[in-house]
Amino acid sequence: MSNENDDDATQLGSIGHHMNKPQQPGNPQMRPAFQAPSLPTHPQKQSGDDEDTVLSAYNATPSRPAMPTVPTTHPMKAQPAQPVQMQQPLPQSQPIPAAAPRQFPQATTSQAKPAQPAATSSMMSAPQADITEFHNQFAKLVDSVSQVVVGKEQPIRQCATAMIVGGHILLEDNPGTGKTQLARALANSIDMSFKRIQFTPDLLPSDVVGVTYYDQKNGEFEYREGPIFASIVLADEINRASPKTQSALLEVMEEQKVTVDGETHAVPQPFMVIATQNPIEQLGTYKLPEAQMDRFLIKTTIGYPSHDVSVSILKQVNVTDRASTVHAVLTGNDVLRMRAISETVHLDDAILEYIVRLVEATRHNERIQVGSSMRGALALTRCARVWAASNNRGYVVPDDVKQLAVAVLAHRITLTAEATFAGSTPELMIEQILENVPAPTVGATA
């Protein structure tokens, strides 16, 4: 029993209570058994930080004042007693100090580092070669059109986006703001066919889509294509034509084909209709029906130029036709190639959920009589992919959706009479919905 008490007193570090220190040299069997496994391992691997932390916790006990009673002539004997007191918890967790500092942190780092490149490659990685090519081609097209319509990069980017997606755009603005110049500059910047149709009240559907006539020389009926058979078609003052003529564009704008006398004729690809209308002069005009408005991918305005831009335009007063000064920088195959690249842009599920919530918010608003259709959600998704690729990104972020929501969804909703009388506009309603619907935190902001 006395030996057990002495051993317990040695293990518990009760120094100064038992003056049995002279018996320690006389008991060599127990000393090497505890010192041999502890002294070679712990001091060599310099893991004393963990042990000192534990020892400091034990030294914080009231037994610390007893430390000065240890004779200073034996410093090495007082210190081995401290590793001994660590030996009591070590038999159960002996493998942990040897494996945990070396293997467990390495396992976490080896798992964490491959996980970061995986997330980085899908969302935050450097642009791929295709995305970089898309970005360069898109910037080249925007710069070419910007030479004609100066200081209006946003509507130019929207028109280029509609071209790449394969949709149509409606330019609604006051006269003299450059709507026709923008359409012609876009057509001249791409090596594709271009036709212009001036819509008037006496314009017939056959004047747009074409007509079948009898060829007396050959003795058979032949189909003569109308001006709609072009890659870029400018429908100038579209609201001046009758609803019968306006309806001739419904099929070709949606299905990219024309049916005349039971025969279907495909339009060239890529195909795009750029329509213009004057919002202030409504005398002798016909409002576009909601079905046709929904077929336009984007509705935007140009607006008046700034003061500095106006002065620079006046300095070039001798240039009468600015659209004729630009030349083709892309081909039709380049546009189709960019369209294929945009289809590979990553769309996170949170982005899709965000787009659906925006569209559903237009249907459940008490001041909106008719909300956006599913075609609007599809249009916003496709435009967001092109917008992300134009910003040299291979993934879509919420800012891409926010920057396009007004142009894509505003013309697809119908306000109630009370909201209209209160001064609300579709654009203001979409902006309010963007503020109310929380955006996801996906990727990074643009």
Side-chain angles (χ1 to χ4, degrees), residues 6-17:
D6 294 337
D7 296 337
D8 296 337
T10 304
Q11 295 178 0
L12 295 176
S14 302
I15 302 173
H17 295 284

Side-chain angles (χ1 to χ4, degrees), residues 242-256:
S242 63
K244 183 179 180 180
T245 304
Q246 293 176 3
S247 63
L249 296 175
L250 294 177
E251 181 185 8
V252 67
M253 291 176 64
E254 179 65 21
E255 303 177 11
Q256 312 283 312

